[in-house]
Amino acid sequence: MTVPLSSFIQPVHRHYFSGLPERCNYRNRHYSFPGIPEVMPLTRAFLNTCAAGRSEDYRYLFTLLGSELANNAIRHTLSGRPGGSYTLQVRRSRKGLHLTCRDQGSLNGQDGHLSPNPGGLDLSAESGRGLAMVDAFATSWGDNGFAEYRSVWLYLAFSAEESRWWDDSASVRS
């Protein structure tokens, strides 16, 4: 039996998934998603709608990076286990969007900050690209370092000039 994705949306929050900038002046949005890969289209719709009113490139990049955080929660934490979930929170400021992904805890139970795979930007790599992309394209990012209920966040400035990508001293530029 197939369950329609719309059944996962609370009626009061339907506008979070419309793709329209009807409420573009929000300050804070959050939504909890089941930790199953089949719901990722809703995650992308939520992220895309949060960035509505921005350029197509900005929306694409914000959705891509946010999807990576959500996918990591599903694949690498207890959020991806049966009954698991993760929460995305988007805070909007005048200069950009700040996204936090809160999961239900690490599978290994060890505290420590995350770091991108050093070879993650290698196009021939089969996996390990997620945090490497976040590190390369987000204005800034980090995590709380706790294995239990980890929070991973990123900030994406509306202006590309504020990103490390444009900084001549950044190691991500070639």
Side-chain angles (χ1 to χ4, degrees):
M1 180 171 113
T2 302
V3 177
L5 288 176
S6 61
S7 67
F8 291 98
I9 302 173
Q10 299 166 3
V12 70
H13 294 122
R14 289 202 188 283
H15 63 281
Y16 284 11
F17 302 89
S18 69
L20 302 173
E22 80 277 354
R23 292 189 181 188
C24 63
N25 293 322
Y26 71 92
R27 294 260 190 249
N28 190 7
R29 281 189 178 162
H30 62 89
Y31 204 82
S32 293
F33 296 87
I36 54 176
E38 292 80 8
V39 181
M40 282 302 291
L42 281 182
T43 299
R44 288 189 289 276
F46 173 80
L47 294 164
N48 185 51
T49 302
C50 286
R54 307 311 305 176
S55 72
E56 187 175 326
D57 289 340
Y58 185 91
R59 287 176 81 167
Y60 175 82
L61 186 57
F62 183 75
T63 301
L64 174 69
L65 298 180
S67 296
E68 287 297 333
L69 297 187
N71 189 49
N72 283 349
I74 293 170
R75 293 187 70 202
H76 303 295
T77 76
L78 295 172
S79 294
R81 297 280 170 97
S85 66
Y86 60 93
T87 300
L88 296 180
Q89 177 187 29
V90 178
R91 288 179 293 151
R92 181 179 177 190
S93 70
R94 289 183 187 149
K95 294 190 172 201
L97 295 178
H98 187 278
L99 170 67
T100 302
C101 181
R102 291 186 178 94
D103 63 46
Q104 292 182 312
S106 171
L107 294 172
N108 68 17
Q110 296 178 335
D111 286 348
H113 291 285
L114 301 173
S115 61
N117 180 342
L121 293 180
D122 178 0
L123 295 178
S124 63
E126 291 187 29
S127 64
R129 289 192 201 115
L131 281 182
M133 284 194 320
V134 171
D135 187 54
F137 293 113
T139 307
S140 58
W141 76 278
D143 70 280
N144 64 358
F146 301 129
E148 199 171 318
Y149 297 100
R150 184 177 300 276
S151 292
V152 183
W153 61 269
L154 68 83
Y155 173 72
L156 188 62
F158 293 142
S159 171
E161 286 76 24
E162 292 182 36
S163 174
R164 290 181 309 125
W165 181 255
W166 297 103
D167 181 1
D168 287 333
S169 65
S171 61
V172 295
R173 273 182 104 182
S174 53

